[in-house]
Amino acid sequence: MKRVVILGRGGAGKSTLARALGKATGLPVVELDKHFWGPRLEPMPAELWAVVQGELAVSDQWIMDGDLGPYDVLEVRLQRADTVLLLDFSFWRCAWRALLRSRERVDFWVWLWSWRRKSRPVLMDAIASHAGDATLHVLRTPRATKAFLTQARV
């Protein structure tokens, strides 16, 4: 496990998992939200986002966390990944976590609500198409996530 992509619904704990996994493995963590969103929360154009990701993914070791929903260009980082973690937590858990952390825009809440029905199938297709050789872990509960972290420390 040297190049890890973490995907999932907003509020699932992607960044928290990335930091914990980085600490456990020594891999550098790249929080994609910090590279993608402009100062007024405007999304980066897709063509530029693909270039930026290509620059971030060129190194041999990293953990990239982020699921940018309809704005994302997944194939760039998925093609380099050897491990993909998909956090598939319930809407209610993610909504609660999102409420606790900050105020979100309406489009975030629409994405959060429709993630399992709309975004998850797109993610699974992208993983199959662009990360076929990567190991996929679908984590559905905090307990499963904790177990994965424990295993990663070994």
Side-chain angles (χ1 to χ4, degrees), residues 24-132:
T25 62
L27 295 171
V29 175
V30 179
E31 190 174 338
L32 295 176
D33 280 344
K34 292 180 180 178
H35 296 273
F36 179 76
W37 296 102
R40 293 188 182 100
L41 289 181
E42 68 275 0
M44 185 179 292
E47 311 79 40
L48 181 55
W49 181 228
V51 171
V52 169
Q53 279 187 88
E55 292 168 358
L56 293 170
V58 76
S59 66
D60 289 332
Q61 296 184 338
W62 41 258
I63 298 169
M64 289 191 192
D65 87 90
D67 186 336
L68 302 162
Y71 304 111
D72 215 343
V73 181
L74 293 163
E75 58 271 13
V76 176
R77 63 189 182 274
L78 287 176
Q79 288 171 349
R80 293 273 300 139
D82 62 22
T83 305
V84 178
L85 307 178
L86 180 67
L87 300 183
D88 189 8
F89 292 0
S90 73
F91 166 78
W92 298 110
R93 177 178 300 281
C94 295
W96 178 248
R97 287 178 175 177
L99 281 170
L100 291 176
R101 75 175 179 205
S102 66
R103 299 179 76 169
E104 300 288 352
R105 299 180 341 184
V106 171
D107 59 342
F108 171 85
W109 291 105
V110 170
W111 171 66
L112 191 76
W113 174 253
S114 63
W115 184 87
R116 185 161 286 145
R117 185 173 31 85
K118 290 184 177 178
S119 295
R120 187 182 188 283
V122 170
L123 292 174
M124 296 304 287
D125 287 345
I127 293 164
S129 297
H130 303 290

Side-chain angles (χ1 to χ4, degrees), residues 1-2 4 6 14-30 61-65 85 148-149 152-153:
M1 182 168 52
K2 293 183 179 185
V4 182
I6 302 176
K14 295 178 297 293
S15 297
T16 302
L17 174 58
R19 286 189 298 272
L21 188 58
K23 186 175 180 180
T25 62
L27 295 171
V29 175
V30 179
Q61 296 184 338
W62 41 258
I63 298 169
M64 289 191 192
D65 87 90
L85 307 178
F148 177 83
L149 272 172
R153 287 187 181 102

